[in-house]
């Protein structure tokens, strides 16, 4: 703190001290216990470490500059890396600082999500929060770090009261030597590369450079695996990561200036009202690839709790897309009832050509919307409507209209995400939809940031190369360890599609492997295709499988190779296993089962056909217990789906 010439605390210093206290409360940090000395010995450079369950994160001052690192069981996950923010006036917070105060706390709570991977989530962490002063400007700011058993997280706190304009975030992530990262931008395939070899992408209207979207997964040479995500992104640009010239193992933060789709205003800076907390930069960590998947709830734990007092109307479920006619809608409702599907959807074109029609209030002549919605409601089926962004000029009015129609949810398409203003627009749409008790499914290159905890009607989002692109089996078994770590995924499962590059059992398994609380099934198909259920042995699996869970366990896996996940709904378990283009057999112990016997209904690959799609699904049953080990055999690009029902 600055003092007057006689050593007493100056009036400016006292006022700033008060602002620090007020600022801490304003961003919801809560009370902590002060630890003014931090971890470092007397006379040494300041250093503090948070630890939880073998995971640790350290923040330090090295030659006046802020640095951080992270370990798991003593092994390096993030080597010494930079911290800092660049402001519009050229000030770099973090390049030359003095530590004023160190606070710490250890917290353990549990909470129950409206829907999720598990019925109960444990939120346990140790936190250190530094209050710092920039030497040149005298600005006070904070760095907050947390260690969870599942990973680590950090963010910056701007404490001065007023407004601040941020032009760059200087956080870096330095991985151990020989790390491989799985890079993907927009809806591209994942490319395994060294951190310094991320492909240069972008156009003249988008951000350009060696940039990758989040979540970004890194397979470390020490056997561990980590996934960089963000959480609690509010009033701030989206984070990408970039290769760093001359630093082979490093990735640096990049705050998007353009929208991902390249339309809308360019924003080279973000102005925020302070006190303000930046989004969390989270590193989810797994000692095994399977553990990484089970640690994904770290992203939710970092997000604000739900803002809704009544969530009884929020219902996860399966969705069937109908063709654009009244008859197709009515038939879709009947199909949904017969197949255990909770929603039907009218997609692009229901109000006219989506790229030229800006009025989404009037259905085309072929659709009698009141009749379809009335019939659906009478059968207990909800209706989703697709809306292109260009028709969303007045969300309050449009969402109110849809509510009056009896619509259950909205699928928003061609969303421009990336800039601060687009973050605000997306979160604003979710809040407005909640006012009218409407679910939101956000499409195109949008990325997760834990907002489904705060507004659980924000139930799903795309941001993935899904089945609209008919990707490879290798891509499909990368997703559980990459994109799906960040949050819900709208993949669109295609069962029985001749364009699939996988077996039908592989597609079936996705319903258990992927976390997708709003699950679009039978994509590209119509009810008449399945008029003879005997020809489609996988249908009973889709009838039964839920989309939200009481318990989830990833049993085994290796990114890009194979995965097996078991999820429990009530007393029944649903097990999905998928492989890449290599046939394999996975021994799966069923030790997660309760006592007694279970009937295992196994949907497996038959004799491989001339292409993966032509590999039949064969169904069998057997009695199993928690002592049983199943040999899960999969064809190339294949899978298995298993229902384990207690007897």
């Amino acid at each position: 703190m600055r003092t007057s010439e006689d050593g007493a605390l100056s009036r400016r210093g006292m006022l700033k001290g008060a602002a620090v206290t007020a600022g801490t409360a304003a961003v919801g940090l809560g009370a902590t216990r002060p630890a003014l000395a931090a971890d470092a010995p007397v006379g040494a450079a300041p250093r503090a470490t948070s630890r939880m369950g073998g995971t640790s994160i350290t923040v330090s001052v090295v030659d006046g500059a802020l640095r951080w690192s992270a370990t798991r069981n003593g092994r390096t996950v993030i080597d010494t890396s930079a911290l800092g923010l660049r402001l519009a006036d050229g000030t770099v917070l973090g390049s030359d600082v003095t530590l004023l105060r160190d606070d710490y706390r250890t917290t353990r709570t549990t909470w129950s999500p409206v829907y999720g991977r598990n019925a109960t989530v444990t939120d346990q962490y140790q936190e250190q929060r530094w209050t710092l002063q920039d030497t040149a400007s005298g600005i006070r700011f904070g760095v907050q770090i947390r260690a969870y058993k599942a990973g680590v997280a950090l963010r910056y706190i701007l404490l001065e009261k007023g407004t601040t304009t941020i032009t760059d975030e200087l956080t870096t992530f330095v991985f151990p030597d020989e790390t491989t990262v799985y890079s993907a931008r927009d809806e591209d395939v994942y490319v395994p590369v060294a951190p310094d070899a991320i492909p240069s992408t972008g156009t003249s209207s988008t951000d350009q450079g060696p940039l990758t979207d989040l979540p970004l997964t890194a397979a470390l040479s020490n056997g561990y695996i980590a996934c960089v995500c963000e959480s609690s992104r509010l009033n701030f640009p989206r984070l990408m990561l970039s290769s760093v010239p001359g630093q082979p193992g490093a990735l640096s933060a990049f705050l998007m200036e353009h929208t991902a789709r390249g339309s809308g205003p360019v924003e080279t800076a973000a102005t925020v009202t302070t006190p303000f907390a930046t989004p969390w930069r989270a590193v989810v960590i797994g000692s095994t690839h399977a553990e990484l998947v089970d640690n994904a709830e770290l992203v939710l734990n970092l997000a604000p709790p739900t803002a809704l007092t009544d969530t009884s109307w929020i219902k996860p479920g399966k969705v069937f897309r109908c063709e654009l006619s009244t008859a197709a809608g009515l038939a879709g409702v009947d199909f949904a009832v017969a197949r255990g599907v909770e929603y039907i959807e009218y997609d692009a074109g229901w109000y006219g050509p989506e790229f030229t029609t800006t009025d989404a209030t009037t259905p085309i002549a072929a659709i009698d919307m009141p009749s379809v919605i009335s019939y659906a409601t009478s059968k207990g089926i909800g209706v989703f409507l697709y809306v292109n962004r260009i028709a969303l000029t007045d969300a309050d009015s449009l969402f109110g209209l849809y509510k009056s129609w009896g619509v259950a949810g909205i699928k928003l398409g061609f969303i421009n995400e990336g800039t601060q203003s687009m973050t605000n627009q997306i979160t604003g749409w979710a809040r407005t939809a909640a006012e009218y008790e409407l679910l939101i499914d956000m499409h195109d290159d949008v990325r997760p940031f834990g907002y489904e905890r705060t507004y659980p009607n924000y139930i799903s989002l795309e941001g993935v190369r899904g089945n609209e692109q008919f990707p490879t089996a290798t891509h499909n078994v990368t997703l559980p360890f990459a994109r799906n770590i960040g949050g819900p995924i709208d993949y669109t499962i295609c069962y029985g599609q001749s364009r699939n590059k996988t077996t039908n059992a592989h597609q079936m398994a996705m319903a258990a492997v992927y976390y997708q609380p709003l699950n679009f099934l039978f994509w590209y198909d119509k009810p008449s295709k399945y008029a003879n259920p005997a020809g489609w042995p996988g249908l009973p699996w889709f009838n039964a499988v839920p989309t939200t869970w009481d318990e989830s366990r990833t049993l085994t896996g290796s990114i890009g190779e194979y995965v097996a996940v078991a999820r429990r709904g009530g007393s029944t378990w649903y097990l999905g296993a998928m492989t890449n283009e290599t046939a394999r057999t996975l021994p799966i112990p069923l030790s997660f089962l309760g006592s007694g016997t279970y009937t295992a209904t196994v949907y497996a690959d038959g004799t491989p056909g001339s292409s993966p799609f032509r590999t039949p699904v064969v169904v069998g049953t057997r009695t199993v217990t928690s002592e049983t080990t199943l040999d899960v055999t999969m064809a190339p690009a294949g899978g298995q789906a298993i229902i384990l029902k207690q007897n």
Side-chain angles (χ1 to χ4, degrees), residues 581-606:
E581 286 72 17
T582 300
R584 69 183 80 233
T585 298
L586 299 176
I588 303 293
L590 302 183
S591 55
F592 54 86
L593 294 178
S595 59
T597 62
Y598 289 71
T599 297
T601 303
V602 180
Y603 301 86
D605 295 316

Side-chain angles (χ1 to χ4, degrees), residues 155 230-236 277-280 299 302-304 449-451 454:
R155 67 177 177 178
E230 67 176 340
S231 186
S232 192
R233 173 171 31 101
L234 301 169
N235 192 29
F236 209 71
T278 66
W280 287 102
V299 176
L302 293 164
F449 54 96
Y451 206 57
T454 311

Side-chain angles (χ1 to χ4, degrees), residues 44 53 73 108 132 147 160 192 214 216 241 260 277 290 299 342 381 394 417 421 449 467 479 530 535 550 643:
N73 296 326
R108 186 184 192 279
L132 301 145
E160 307 282 7
L214 299 185
L216 186 281
L241 295 178
V299 176
E342 287 77 14
I381 303 299
D394 185 347
E417 198 199 13
S421 62
F449 54 96
N467 246 353
L479 294 180
Y530 304 102
D550 295 311
I643 300 176

Side-chain angles (χ1 to χ4, degrees), residues 183-191 213-215 261 443-447 461-480 482-484 488-494 500-502 506-507 510 514 516 523-524 578:
S183 171
R185 181 171 181 176
D186 198 355
E187 295 177 8
D188 293 338
V189 298
Y190 281 90
V191 180
D213 279 323
L214 299 185
R261 295 294 188 184
H443 255 242
D444 294 289
D445 188 26
V446 289
R447 294 287 160 162
L461 61 158
E462 192 179 16
V464 70
R465 189 177 189 85
N467 246 353
E468 292 175 319
Q469 310 281 352
F470 298 105
T472 65
T474 293
H475 173 82
N476 292 341
V477 293
T478 300
L479 294 180
R483 165 62 183 82
N484 215 182
I489 187 173
D490 187 352
Y491 180 91
T492 59
I493 293 176
C494 293
N500 284 339
K501 297 183 178 70
T502 70
H506 182 103
Q507 294 287 320
M510 292 173 180
Y514 295 160
Q516 39 190 359
W523 194 251
Y524 293 117
M578 299 159 60

Side-chain angles (χ1 to χ4, degrees), residues 147-226:
Y148 295 77
K149 182 179 179 181
V152 301
L154 63 88
R155 67 177 177 178
Y156 304 93
I157 312 295
L158 297 170
L159 295 167
E160 307 282 7
K161 188 173 179 61
T163 60
T164 301
T165 300
I166 301 166
T167 58
D168 200 5
E169 180 176 333
L170 305 177
T171 311
T172 62
F173 301 80
V174 178
F175 295 103
D177 292 344
E178 300 180 22
T179 289
T180 297
V181 298
Y182 288 78
S183 171
R185 181 171 181 176
D186 198 355
E187 295 177 8
D188 293 338
V189 298
Y190 281 90
V191 180
V193 296
D196 64 345
I198 290 175
S200 187
T201 54
T203 67
S204 59
S205 62
T206 67
D207 294 313
Q208 299 183 62
L211 296 168
T212 181
D213 279 323
L214 299 185
L216 186 281
T217 299
L220 312 183
S221 56
N222 57 24
Y224 284 4
I225 188 167

